């Protein structure tokens, strides 16, 4: 984003908010209410403008890497519906599903990138824990004679916290929820492709698909509840 735009928004927060409200008013005044594409274009623009203004006003100086990822994730969310409508209008059914899957994949990767520090810390702790016991430090050689007094060697290396299966489950859930929207899109794509053929085998395949996704969601919900109870135990 241009520094000129960011500096103007920060120097004129009141006018920036008025511009945001004006964009919403313009949607109702100039969009064609009979055209969902026209209305969605206006709403996508006003939502994207509101996202940019809010992000600029909530930060100082240049955007950090996290700020950029968050803003791009929100902008994709604001314009996703418009992109899907355009794909459905100007592309084939398969092409539209590909566009939807691509956008969802990008958003999933952005979500995963926002969690990169936590995931990297988890992986780093596993590697440290797998390194075995730390080497014991020998007493320094000073050149002076000294008494041989038995003493316990101290391990001064920082050890990683112990990992349990709850931590691995939490890690797996982080990955699942990052790519969960993409899984839903892929399952819906398969169901839509099967639904175009009205024979018993195709219909049964569609029901199997949705039953499988329901089972996955239920399993993830139970696993999340177990992890949450483990991390925040209830003390009676």
């Amino acid at each position: 984003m241009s520094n000129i735009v960011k500096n103007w928004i920060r120097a004129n927060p009141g006018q920036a908010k008025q511009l945001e409200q004006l964009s919403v008013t313009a949607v109702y005044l100039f969009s064609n209410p009979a055209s969902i594409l026209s209305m969605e274009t206006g709403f996508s623009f006003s939502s994207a403008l509101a996202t940019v203004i809010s992000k600029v006003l909530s930060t100082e100086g240049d955007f950090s890497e996290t700020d950029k990822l968050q803003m791009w994730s929100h902008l994709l969310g604001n314009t996703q519906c418009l992109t899907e409508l355009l794909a459905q209008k100007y592309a084939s059914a398969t092409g539209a599903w590909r566009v939807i899957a691509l956008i969802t994949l990008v958003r999933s990767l952005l979500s995963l990138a926002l969690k990169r520090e936590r995931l990297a810390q988890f992986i780093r702790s596993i590697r440290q824990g797998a390194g075995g016991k730390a080497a014991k430090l020998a007493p320094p050689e000073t050149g002076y004679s000294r008494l041989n007094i038995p003493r316990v060697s101290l391990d001064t290396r920082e050890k990683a916290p112990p990992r349990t299966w709850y931590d691995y489950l939490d890690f797996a859930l982080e990955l699942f929820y990052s790519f969960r929207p993409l899984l839903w899109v892929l399952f819906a794509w398969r169901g839509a492709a099967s639904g175009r053929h009205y024979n018993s085998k195709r219909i049964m395949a569609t029901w199997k698909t949705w039953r499988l996704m329901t089972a996955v969601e239920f399993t993830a919900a139970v696993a999340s509840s177990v992890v949450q109870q483990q991390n925040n135990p209830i003390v009676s």
Side-chain angles (χ1 to χ4, degrees), residues 53-203:
I53 292 176
S54 298
K55 178 57 67 176
V56 172
L57 292 179
S58 63
T59 57
E60 296 180 358
D62 295 332
F63 285 163
S64 64
E65 195 68 24
T66 301
D67 293 331
K68 293 179 181 179
L69 291 174
Q70 289 177 345
M71 188 175 70
W72 278 112
S73 180
H74 290 153
L75 289 176
L76 279 177
N78 294 334
T79 58
Q80 182 171 359
C81 185
L82 174 62
T83 307
E84 293 176 2
L85 289 175
L86 291 173
Q88 291 177 3
K89 183 175 182 179
Y90 297 106
S92 62
T94 303
W97 277 111
R98 287 175 179 173
V99 171
I100 295 172
L102 179 60
I103 296 175
T104 309
L105 174 61
V106 173
R107 293 191 65 186
S108 298
L109 293 176
L110 288 174
S111 175
L112 191 64
L114 289 171
K115 303 174 184 176
R116 65 189 184 280
E117 293 183 0
R118 181 180 178 184
L119 299 179
Q121 182 181 6
F122 182 88
I123 296 175
R124 187 165 52 249
S125 65
I126 293 178
R127 291 178 178 176
Q128 292 176 356
K133 295 183 179 180
K136 296 183 179 180
L137 300 179
E141 295 293 339
T142 61
Y144 298 98
S145 61
R146 59 183 182 274
L147 297 175
N148 292 326
I149 302 175
R151 65 185 65 190
V152 178
S153 298
L154 298 179
D155 183 4
T156 59
R157 295 198 314 178
E158 182 181 356
K159 292 184 178 181
R163 288 288 170 183
T164 65
W165 67 274
Y166 292 104
D167 299 309
Y168 292 100
L169 183 59
D170 191 19
F171 180 78
L173 287 172
E174 288 283 355
L175 295 178
F176 169 74
Y177 283 114
S178 295
F179 290 96
R180 177 190 181 193
L182 181 61
L183 289 177
W184 272 109
V185 168
L186 295 178
F187 273 102
W189 186 356
R190 180 179 178 182
S194 300
R196 289 197 296 266
H197 305 277
Y198 296 99
N199 57 66
S200 58
K201 292 183 178 180
R202 290 288 185 175
I203 294 175

